[in-house]
C-alpha cells in the first residue's frame, strides 16, 4: 500500500481516537446562538484514556491524548482588547471585535458572540465534552490562526447529546482559517463533525487536521472555499470519518494540499433536488491547478452533480 510520508513527523505516541457513532437529534440540542455560561464536565469520566473504535495503531489519527497530558498543567491565557471578554465558569465569552491571543490548557469553551474577531492560538489545548471547544455564536466571520511552530487542539472527546458538539462550530457564521506556515490546528469531533459552520474559508498557513465520526465529516458546511486574494498555500487533512469535506452546495479550492485518509467519501456535495434533469450548476466541486489531492483508503473520492477538477493533481491518479 502507498505510504503517506508527510504524516510521519506529526505523529507522537499516545491514544488514537477513531470514529464513534453520531448523536441522535433531540429536543435538548443547543442552537449554537446562545451564549453558554457554564459546562458541567462532572457528568463525564476523565477522557484522557477514551477508548477508540480500533485497536490498530493508525499513523493518520489525531493523537490528542498525549498532547493533553503534556499541556494539562499549562496556564490558560486569553489576551485581547481591554474589556473584550468575560469569564463565566469555564467559558470565555468574547464580546468585543479584535485580535485575541490564546494559549494554554482549558476544559471549557471560547464562545465568540460578535463579528470581527480573530483568535490566534499558541500551543493551546481546549476540550469540551458537551459542546464545541470554540463556538461562533453569531453571523459574520470568525478568523482562526496559529503561530508558527505551535500545535493547537480543539477536542470534543466523547459522544454528546448536543448537536453543536465539535472541535469548532459556527451555525450561522463563517470560520476562516489563516495561520502561519509551520503551525498545526487539530479539530476532533466525537459526536459527528470535526468542524461545522455555515461557510468555511481557507486563506493561508500550516496544517489543518479534521476528524469526525463514522456518520459525520471532518468538515461540514454549506460552502468550502479558498480566499483567492491570498497566495500562501495550506494543508488540509481529513481523516477517519464518513466524509472528508461535506458541503451542502459547493467546494471551490484554488490551491493547497488536501490529504484524505480512511473515508467513505473524500469530497462531497448535495444534489439540487429542484433540478428535474438531475444536473445542477449550483452544486459542484471545483479544484484549481494549485490543488494537489493525496488520498488513501477512500472508497469514493468525489461525489457531486458537477465537477471541474481537471487542473488538480491526484496522488494516486484517479481511475
Amino acid at each position: 500500500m502507498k505510504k503517506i510520508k508527510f504524516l510521519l513527523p506529526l505523529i507522537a505516541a499516545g491514544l488514537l481516537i477513531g470514529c464513534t457513532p453520531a448523536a441522535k437529534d433531540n429536543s435538548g440540542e443547543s442552537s449554537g446562538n446562545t451564549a453558554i455560561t457554564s459546562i458541567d464536565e462532572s457528568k463525564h469520566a476523565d477522557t484522557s484514556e477514551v477508548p477508540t473504535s480500533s485497536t490498530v495503531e493508525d499513523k493518520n489519527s489525531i493523537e490528542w491524548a498525549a498532547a493533553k497530558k503534556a499541556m494539562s498543567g499549562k496556564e490558560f491565557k486569553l489576551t485581547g482588547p481591554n474589556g473584550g471578554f468575560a469569564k463565566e465558569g469555564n467559558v470565555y465569552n468574547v464580546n468585543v471585535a479584535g485580535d485575541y491571543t490564546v494559549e494554554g490548557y482549558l476544559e471549557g469553551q471560547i464562545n465568540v458572540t460578535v463579528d470581527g474577531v480573530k483568535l490566534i492560538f499558541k500551543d493551546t489545548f481546549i476540550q469540551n465534552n458537551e459542546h464545541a471547544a470554540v463556538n461562533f455564536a453569531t453571523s459574520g466571520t470568525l478568523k482562526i490562526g496559529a503561530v508558527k511552530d505551535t500545535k493547537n487542539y480543539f477536542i470534543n472527546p466523547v459522544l454528546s447529546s448536543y448537536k453543536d458538539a465539535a472541535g469548532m462550530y459556527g451555525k450561522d457564521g463563517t470560520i476562516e482559517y489563516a495561520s502561519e506556515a509551520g503551525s498545526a490546528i487539530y479539530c476532533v469531533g466525537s459526536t459527528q463533525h470535526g468542524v461545522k459552520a455555515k461557510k468555511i474559508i481557507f486563506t493561508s498557513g500550516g496544517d489543518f487536521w479534521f476528524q469526525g465520526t463514522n456518520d459525520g465529516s471532518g468538515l461540514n458546511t454549506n460552502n468550502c472555499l479558498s480566499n483567492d486574494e491570498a497566495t500562501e498555500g495550506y494543508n488540509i487533512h481529513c481523516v477517519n470519518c464518513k466524509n472528508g469535506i461535506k458541503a451542502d452546495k459547493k467546494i471551490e479550492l484554488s490551491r493547497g494540499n488536501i490529504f484524505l485518509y480512511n473515508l467513505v467519501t473524500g469530497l462531497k456535495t448535495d444534489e439540487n433536488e429542484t433540478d428535474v434533469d438531475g444536473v445542477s450548476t449550483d452544486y459542484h466541486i471545483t479544484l484549481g491547478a494549485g490543488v494537489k489531492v493525496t488520498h488513501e483508503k477512500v472508497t469514493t473520492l468525489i461525489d457531486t452533480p458537477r465537477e471541474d477538477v481537471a487542473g488538480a493533481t491526484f496522488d494516486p491518479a484517479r481511475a
Side-chain angles (χ1 to χ4, degrees), residues 189-208:
S190 296
T191 299
Q192 192 168 22
H193 308 303
V195 172
K196 180 175 177 61
K198 186 174 182 179
K199 182 186 293 185
I200 295 172
I201 298 175
F202 289 94
T203 297
S204 62
D207 287 86
F208 303 100

Side-chain angles (χ1 to χ4, degrees), residues 71-91:
M71 298 175 68
S72 60
K74 188 175 180 181
E75 180 184 1
F76 184 77
K77 296 179 182 178
L78 174 63
T79 57
N82 187 33
F85 67 90
K87 183 176 183 293
E88 299 182 63
N90 51 359
V91 175

Side-chain angles (χ1 to χ4, degrees), residues 20-284:
T20 58
K24 295 181 179 179
D25 192 1
N26 68 49
S27 59
E29 72 181 26
S30 167
S31 68
N33 286 332
T34 302
I36 303 164
T37 59
S38 66
I39 296 169
D40 185 4
E41 300 290 353
S42 65
K43 293 182 179 179
H44 305 274
D46 177 25
T47 56
S48 61
E49 298 295 334
V50 174
T52 90
S53 60
S54 172
T55 58
V56 180
E57 183 168 353
D58 187 336
K59 67 185 187 309
N60 296 283
S61 287
I62 298 176
E63 300 185 13
W64 58 267
K68 174 179 177 174
K69 184 175 181 180
M71 298 175 68
S72 60
K74 188 175 180 181
E75 180 184 1
F76 184 77
K77 296 179 182 178
L78 174 63
T79 57
N82 187 33
F85 67 90
K87 183 176 183 293
E88 299 182 63
N90 51 359
V91 175
Y92 289 76
N93 293 306
V94 175
N95 304 314
V96 175
D99 291 356
Y100 294 78
T101 301
V102 189
E103 59 182 304
Y105 179 86
L106 173 68
E107 292 191 22
Q109 182 183 79
I110 297 178
N111 182 52
V112 178
T113 66
V114 293
D115 183 24
V117 169
K118 182 173 183 178
L119 300 177
I120 305 166
F121 295 99
K122 183 180 179 182
D123 287 326
T124 306
F125 191 106
I126 303 177
Q127 172 181 316
N128 194 308
N129 293 347
E130 294 184 326
H131 302 280
V134 174
N135 182 54
F136 185 38
T138 188
S139 58
T141 300
L142 169 64
K143 293 186 177 181
I144 299 291
V147 176
K148 182 180 179 180
D149 297 327
T150 67
K151 293 183 178 181
N152 306 275
Y153 297 81
F154 308 91
I155 309 298
N156 159 234
V158 292
L159 181 66
S160 170
S161 61
Y162 294 89
K163 289 183 70 177
D164 65 343
M168 297 184 182
Y169 185 86
K171 181 175 182 290
D172 297 315
T174 297
I175 295 179
E176 179 176 351
Y177 291 96
S179 291
E180 295 180 10
S183 64
I185 285 177
Y186 303 87
C187 295
V188 173
S190 296
T191 299
Q192 192 168 22
H193 308 303
V195 172
K196 180 175 177 61
K198 186 174 182 179
K199 182 186 293 185
I200 295 172
I201 298 175
F202 289 94
T203 297
S204 62
D207 287 86
F208 303 100
W209 289 74
F210 307 101
Q211 180 170 304
T213 71
N214 57 13
D215 194 37
S217 306
L219 292 172
N220 184 276
T221 183
N222 286 353
N223 300 295
C224 182
L225 310 171
S226 293
N227 181 346
D228 292 331
E229 295 180 1
T231 58
E232 186 178 348
Y234 43 78
N235 301 315
I236 303 171
H237 306 256
C238 294
V239 301
N240 300 325
C241 44
K242 182 177 181 180
N243 306 302
I245 302 177
K246 165 60 171 64
D248 292 345
K249 292 187 177 180
K250 60 186 178 182
I251 299 171
E252 294 180 349
L253 299 172
S254 61
R255 67 187 183 285
N257 298 305
I258 305 173
F259 302 106
L260 305 171
Y261 181 80
N262 195 24
L263 308 166
V264 176
T265 308
L267 307 175
K268 180 180 176 62
T269 70
D270 286 341
E271 296 183 3
N272 188 345
E273 297 179 355
T274 62
D275 197 334
V276 293
D277 62 7
V279 179
S280 168
T281 58
D282 298 323
Y283 293 60
H284 64 272

